[in-house]
Amino acid sequence: MGGVGTIRNNTDIAIRPARRERRAVMRFSRWGAMSCALGACLCIALLPLTVSAQPAPDLGTDEQREAGRLLYMDKCAQCHGETGKGDGVAAPFMRPMPRDFTAGIYKVRTTPSGQLPTDDDLVRVIRDGMPYTGMPAWPQLNDDEIRNLVYYIKTFNDDFSGPYGVPDVVEIPDPPSFSEASAERGRVVYEENQCFDCHGMAGRGDGPSAVTLQEQWGNHIRPADLTKRWTFIGGNTREDIYRTFTTGLDGSPMPSYSITPIEDSWALVDYVYSLSQDEPDYATSATAQYANDPVDPVQGRAAFGEERGAYFPVVGQVIESGRSFMPGVDGIEMKARYNADEIAILLSWHDMSAETMGSNAPDMEVPPTEQVVRDTVTSIWSDAVAIQFPQELAPGGLPYFLFGDARQPVDLWFADLASGEGRSYVGRGSGNLLAGETSPSVRATYEDGAWTAVFTMPRDERFAEDTFVPIAFSVWDGFNDERGNRRGVTGWYYMYLEPSERPSPVMPMLRAAGLTLLVLLSIVGLVRFRHRTSVPA
Amino acid sequence: MNIIILLVVCAGLVALRFVPKINILGWLAGWWIAVFVFLRWGIDPPLPTSIQGMFVAILTLALLAYLSANSAHFRFVLDRFVAFTTQKKYTIPLLAVIAVLPCLVALRVYFDVTEGPAPPLSSRTIHPPPPTSIEVAGNTIDLVNDDNPYRALETEDPAAFEEHVENGRRVYYENCVYCHGDDMAGDGLFAHGFDPIPANFQDATTIAMLQEGYIFWRIAKGGPGLPSESTPWLSAMPAWEDFLSEEDMWDVTLFLYDFTGHRPRAREDHGGGGDH
């Protein structure tokens, strides 16, 4: 355990022996052996922390627990199950699964790895929820109600009432202010501690181990995409990030680290923090800029300028048969350029792994009875993406956003990323897709956890200057068995084709100012004239 | 509505009362500023700029009308205006106004031209009139006269009713929770991906003011079953007749009311059938 940080263990040999040890056997092979060994060292390091005299755990009164139980049955049991086992009716549709409270394993804690959370930790996670997972926030419950829920949840696991019921608390020091230099140093710390093994070199959750990680409960789990901190389940302030890697997320493969010196801890925080903005800033329209020369798709992103494109939310297609409850992709970025003959659209999205084996198509059958699947590497379905436009721009309305309808068809530009070739379809509903006439030319690359696909098509009369063209997207993640109707979708958004000649504001400004001046002068002149003539000298 | 802004504006107007020797010009200016501030910042979500402009124009006209209604006030303001434009001591402020106003107008034009146009908005009717009857799995359901067939159990056989509600709970958490949210506030996991956003059943303007037949129609036919003024092409609401049995759909309707504590709207006040 030198200057570089050490991985603390997820198991809790020192603190909660026998019972937990059996359950807590690490399922993820790579880290198992290593962390057990380190954990043994660490328990010695942690011992002094645990010998302090322990006050009795606060378990609430009978009334409080009963009030909590009633609330739990009303608001939580449908996911977490009536007996707290995480097997409520909604459970099969969520990833990660709702927590099994009988296990007594919690992710968001201010306590050392392996220990139970404090009451305040539970209060916080219930009130704020875990964004982008099935666990909702509960701002509508008051403090007492949440407290009662906590008392009730604690009854599911005996450890809360035993000697481990009063956990140690890891102090989170006041953060120094953010600095670029510290974030720079953090990159090195990130590499030294091999965070990239799971989170990837660019932090997009695409590390080499990412596809094999498993939760305590046996399901695959994706490493967080560190470039989207609005999705962090434990909060996205710098203190939260510090706490996440200092105490780890128990039950998930995310280990706990003790990174010394403390400056390096904050450097790592700053690095992670520097990878993204606070909010996704979802767009409702994207701008296609005019370019004299045709876009060179080989240049990829560089051909479209540096600035961030329009970012649209992608959600599961849960409307028609073949539903996708846990889409692999949660957002897609778009940029566009056009010239007299062509329109080029760049799409970019983060994907934990590139599936380039097998094939995919928007009209593949998904048996309605197929079990809801969780991430698996089957190599049957490849990653794919599609752009959708109304075939005609009717003033009265748009086609149905799921591949059009009988009245108004859509054009679909589709790319199967295994073959990398583009195809087009005419859609009159997802059950009625026919091959289209002209296929888009597509160039797609996968790098550091991000797909980038550039579509180029001849520019038809729909794409006139200074118009808003409705646009929608579908994304398929092969790793998640997505194909056909099982996909990530967006609603209708707009692409605005910026006029090739931007009208200069100078003339209209001069005209308006001149007119105003004229009016003012004539008023003053008139008043003065009348005044002089009416008041005799 | 932003209460804080409203309070500040009202407080400002009250304070104006206590300003000693305030003349009519001060009053008009005070009112103009107060209403402007409220229109601009006090309304949430903000009004579109074009509507704001319209209101400001009406406001200006109204204040002018108020002014001309009283000849003493009108005379006073006119005299002040004539004095400002003609007297020597005001020459410098007058020149300043003549120089600054055109610049402000030019600035406004600059913003208008460079801002770029906004994407088209499509307005939709949220609660269009329902059809009189619908076809579900070969059954005709009369939306005018038929009630929820299980509603009567509420008083006749509470235990059986409870079973239907429980089944509705299962249906809801297996099918609706991603969009309408675990607490039915329209904020499920996928809600941010749809516009219009999924209906908020806690709100008084959704199921609380509708009849159960109406809810049944919306559940069975979803977005695709809406008439054209409700922009069916945008609504993500699925047509549940493809997934659920008729009983499941009536049960989930019961559960929506049971969970939120709302009561379905009674028949008479809809002008429809006569029975209760």
Side-chain angles (χ1 to χ4, degrees), chain B residues 102-115:
Chain B
C103 293
L104 287 180
V105 171
L107 201 68
R108 178 75 236 208
V109 170
Y110 175 80
F111 284 128
D112 279 353
V113 173
T114 49
E115 195 179 356

Side-chain angles (χ1 to χ4, degrees), chain A residues 147-160:
Chain A
R147 210 28 87 175
N148 295 344
L149 278 168
V150 167
Y151 288 137
Y152 182 63
I153 286 175
K154 292 191 347 175
T155 63
F156 287 122
N157 183 288
D158 293 340
D159 285 348
F160 277 109

Side-chain angles (χ1 to χ4, degrees), chain A residues 40-284:
Chain A
C41 310
L42 235 122
C43 61
I44 297 165
L46 284 177
L47 265 180
L49 280 175
T50 58
V51 290
S52 53
Q54 301 256 320
D58 174 11
L59 301 171
T61 63
D62 282 346
E63 292 77 52
Q64 284 172 316
R65 284 192 297 273
E66 177 58 15
R69 190 183 69 83
L70 291 176
L71 205 51
Y72 178 90
M73 289 302 170
D74 190 31
K75 309 259 187 214
C76 323
Q78 45 274 30
C79 292
H80 291 286
E82 309 221 324
T83 54
K85 284 216 176 65
D87 57 356
V89 288
F93 308 102
M94 314 215 148
R95 182 181 61 210
M97 296 275 268
R99 189 60 42 78
D100 171 0
F101 293 135
T102 63
I105 299 174
Y106 290 86
K107 289 185 180 174
V108 183
R109 302 174 334 279
T110 55
T111 63
S113 181
Q115 294 206 20
L116 292 170
T118 65
D119 286 7
D120 288 342
D121 292 344
L122 289 173
V123 166
R124 172 194 161 145
V125 81
I126 295 171
R127 197 190 50 228
D128 296 349
M130 298 159 101
Y132 291 79
T133 75
M135 175 63 193
W138 295 93
Q140 68 274 43
L141 299 182
N142 66 33
D143 291 352
D144 288 339
E145 288 171 322
I146 295 188
R147 210 28 87 175
N148 295 344
L149 278 168
V150 167
Y151 288 137
Y152 182 63
I153 286 175
K154 292 191 347 175
T155 63
F156 287 122
N157 183 288
D158 293 340
D159 285 348
F160 277 109
S161 53
Y164 313 117
V166 185
D168 310 308
V169 173
V170 174
E171 285 299 325
I172 296 176
D174 281 341
S177 52
F178 175 89
S179 80
E180 288 297 338
S182 157
E184 200 98 327
R185 163 80 192 134
R187 184 179 178 92
V188 179
V189 182
Y190 182 84
E191 280 164 18
E192 282 173 353
N193 285 282
Q194 299 184 333
C195 308
F196 58 78
D197 190 44
C198 298
H199 292 286
M201 285 314 281
R204 296 185 185 128
D206 61 313
S209 299
V211 291
T212 60
L213 297 178
Q214 288 206 335
E215 271 196 310
Q216 193 87 40
W217 296 272
N219 295 311
H220 176 260
I221 185 163
R222 299 179 176 222
D225 183 339
L226 301 182
T227 65
K228 300 180 180 176
R229 72 168 173 267
W230 57 87
T231 63
F232 287 1
I233 57 174
N236 60 12
T237 65
R238 290 167 69 237
E239 289 90 325
D240 288 331
I241 297 169
Y242 178 97
R243 191 207 56 237
T244 295
F245 66 72
T246 308
T247 71
L249 299 176
D250 282 6
S252 105
M254 172 67 201
S256 59
Y257 292 80
S258 84
I259 290 166
T260 47
I262 182 92
E263 288 75 28
D264 276 1
S265 278
W266 288 110
L268 183 56
V269 168
D270 287 346
Y271 174 63
V272 172
Y273 198 74
S274 71
L275 292 176
S276 81
Q277 41 188 54
D278 259 332
E279 295 293 332
D281 289 343
Y282 292 126
T284 54

Side-chain angles (χ1 to χ4, degrees), chain A residues 246-419:
Chain A
T246 308
T247 71
L249 299 176
D250 282 6
S252 105
M254 172 67 201
S256 59
Y257 292 80
S258 84
I259 290 166
T260 47
I262 182 92
E263 288 75 28
D264 276 1
S265 278
W266 288 110
L268 183 56
V269 168
D270 287 346
Y271 174 63
V272 172
Y273 198 74
S274 71
L275 292 176
S276 81
Q277 41 188 54
D278 259 332
E279 295 293 332
D281 289 343
Y282 292 126
T284 54
S285 74
T287 306
Q289 276 159 355
Y290 183 85
N292 277 319
D293 305 320
V295 159
D296 175 13
V298 179
Q299 285 183 30
R301 260 196 115 74
F304 289 82
E306 279 308 305
E307 73 285 8
R308 184 181 190 247
Y311 184 63
F312 302 108
V314 173
V315 294
Q317 191 291 106
V318 286
I319 298 147
E320 297 183 340
S321 175
R323 292 183 281 172
S324 166
F325 298 101
M326 313 156 200
V329 177
D330 64 4
I332 190 165
E333 184 193 352
M334 177 197 146
K335 298 177 136 202
R337 288 274 190 282
Y338 73 99
N339 61 23
D341 321 306
E342 265 183 5
I343 179 150
I345 295 178
L346 173 137
L347 298 180
S348 176
W349 68 99
H350 296 181
D351 188 342
M352 183 186 64
S353 67
E355 276 71 51
T356 51
M357 307 286 279
S359 65
N360 213 327
D363 52 357
M364 276 186 181
E365 243 1 280
V366 183
T369 50
E370 184 179 270
Q371 280 292 304
V372 180
V373 279
R374 289 168 192 281
D375 287 340
T376 37
V377 202
T378 54
S379 303
I380 306 178
W381 322 113
S382 52
D383 291 339
V385 68
I387 312 178
Q388 169 182 305
F389 295 105
Q391 203 162 56
E392 267 163 44
L393 301 185
L398 293 167
Y400 191 39
F401 76 109
L402 298 176
F403 292 162
D405 54 58
R407 197 177 41 94
Q408 283 182 291
V410 296
D411 275 337
L412 211 62
W413 302 354
F414 172 84
D416 178 348
L417 301 171
S419 58

Side-chain angles (χ1 to χ4, degrees), chain B residues 12-88:
Chain B
L13 284 178
V14 171
L16 216 53
R17 273 234 152 267
F18 297 102
V19 177
K21 287 196 284 179
I22 184 161
N23 62 33
I24 180 70
L25 268 180
W27 267 110
L28 293 181
W31 270 94
W32 197 91
I33 292 172
V35 179
F36 178 81
V37 166
F38 178 71
L39 283 173
R40 183 81 172 70
W41 291 284
I43 296 180
D44 197 33
L47 296 173
T49 354
S50 55
I51 308 265
Q52 271 178 31
M54 206 177 73
F55 277 129
V56 169
I58 293 175
L59 167 72
T60 314
L61 284 180
L63 290 180
L64 282 180
Y66 174 79
L67 176 69
S68 53
N70 178 321
S71 58
H73 282 163
F74 189 66
R75 213 33 287 151
F76 170 79
V77 171
L78 206 65
D79 286 347
R80 282 325 256 317
F81 182 68
V82 171
F84 185 70
T85 39
T86 52
Q87 286 178 14
K88 243 214 166 83

Side-chain angles (χ1 to χ4, degrees), chain A residues 75 78 136 138 140 398 528, chain B residues 85 173 175 178 182-183 233:
Chain A
K75 309 259 187 214
Q78 45 274 30
W138 295 93
Q140 68 274 43
L398 293 167
R528 288 199 160 190
Chain B
T85 39
Y173 286 100
N175 297 291
Y178 331 96
D182 49 283
D183 207 30
W233 55 87

